[in-house]
Amino acid sequence: MEGKYSDDQIGRARVKDTPELEAYYKELETLGAGALWTVANDIEPWEPRTSSVPMLWKYDDLRELVLKSSELVTPEQAGRRVVYLVNDKRKDVSAAVGWLYTGIQVTRPGESTSAHRHKASALRFIMEGEGGYTVVDGNKVTFEVNDFVITPNSAWHEHGVAEGGKTCIWQDGLDIPLVNALEANDYAVFDGKQPLQAPTNYLPLTYGGTGLIPPDANWDKPYSPLFKYSWKTVYPALLEAAKVTEGSPYDGIIMQYSNPLTGGHVMQTMGASMQLLPAGFKGKAHKHTGSFVYQCAKGKGYSIINGKRFDWKERDIFCVPSWVNHEHVNLSDTEDACLFSFNDLPVIEKLGLYQEQAFTENNGYQILK
């Protein structure tokens, strides 16, 4: 039985065990088989069911340990110097929530990682530092704080910080658990450094104009050519939208990072958004399929997830599991707050698995447990 639903009805498995049935089950087991009705109600739940729990990772608690990793191991020793964040209920697959992985990576001035690639898609959200860059399939892209960067699956990529820069820290997001669950992941290391194919920032400068696409565009890859989404253009876009709309009652002014050529998600398996919670915003609760990892990019507030309050401020990271009620609140009456998030919606939507439901009790607001 699950919540308000009863399995004691026609159409659900209601077989009572008997000595004869138990002997039958054992006989099936010896042949690598089983009776569906013994597991049907469990593997076919009445509603979507998550195996993850809501969690919050405080940046103030983690930052010194992230920096300490740069004293203990080099990028070449570690491959990538990352402190990963793991859900209490997903440790077996190293996931932060659902089938999504996230971690916090650090790179010092003058350091760089070896170029590599994997079937898992990856993204970065820049948390602090100066002079950071990534090279994706021969395209060098520099980045700043709150920029969003993608490194799609099977694309050669490497990261570094210029000699005159400042130590950079960013959040990594990957679909490693999903690709591993599908038994489709791989990994390769590039022999030497990637040769640059174009001037620095060629792709974001070429494809980054609002509503503008170069007439000779011949991009044929299944992911966005706009490898970097700059905070200096994203935040003003949210402010402009806020002038003409109140946005979503659940998410405030929310914008999806998109492929400028298709209007769709930036990559095949992971999507991302930035949302602005206006001053004093108190969102209503809802739930939907799809797992989400959030990072506070600006301001402070809290989210109520499955009846529990999680307070966050800039750089804190938290997760919302699939089909769990959640609502967001901006604690300031004078300043807006912004939440970056990434998700597995491209997969959920392509497979026809997306559904959403508003929380209707208590005028749409959860009661704290």
Side-chain angles (χ1 to χ4, degrees), residues 64-76:
E64 289 305 315
L65 291 173
V66 171
L67 290 171
K68 187 175 182 179
S69 73
S70 69
E71 302 170 4
L72 299 174
V73 295
T74 67
E76 290 305 324

Side-chain angles (χ1 to χ4, degrees), residues 169-245:
I169 299 176
W170 60 78
Q171 180 181 3
D172 288 332
L174 294 97
D175 58 1
I176 288 175
L178 172 65
V179 181
N180 284 344
L182 296 173
E183 301 178 354
N185 211 358
D186 62 16
Y187 192 94
V189 177
F190 193 83
D191 185 12
K193 289 288 183 182
Q194 296 181 73
L196 297 183
Q197 304 294 326
T200 298
N201 291 321
Y202 171 78
L203 288 175
L205 290 175
T206 303
Y207 288 91
T210 304
L212 300 173
I213 296 174
D216 58 348
N218 59 357
W219 191 261
D220 60 356
K221 297 178 174 60
Y223 46 80
S224 172
L226 189 55
F227 286 171
K228 177 180 70 173
Y229 297 77
S230 298
W231 174 248
K232 63 185 179 183
T233 57
V234 170
Y235 181 59
L238 290 167
L239 293 177
E240 288 297 300
K243 294 177 181 178
V244 294
T245 178

Side-chain angles (χ1 to χ4, degrees), residues 51 86-95 98-99:
S51 57
V86 62
N87 195 282
D88 285 344
K89 297 295 185 180
R90 302 293 284 158
K91 293 180 180 180
D92 56 328
V93 292
S94 302
W99 296 102

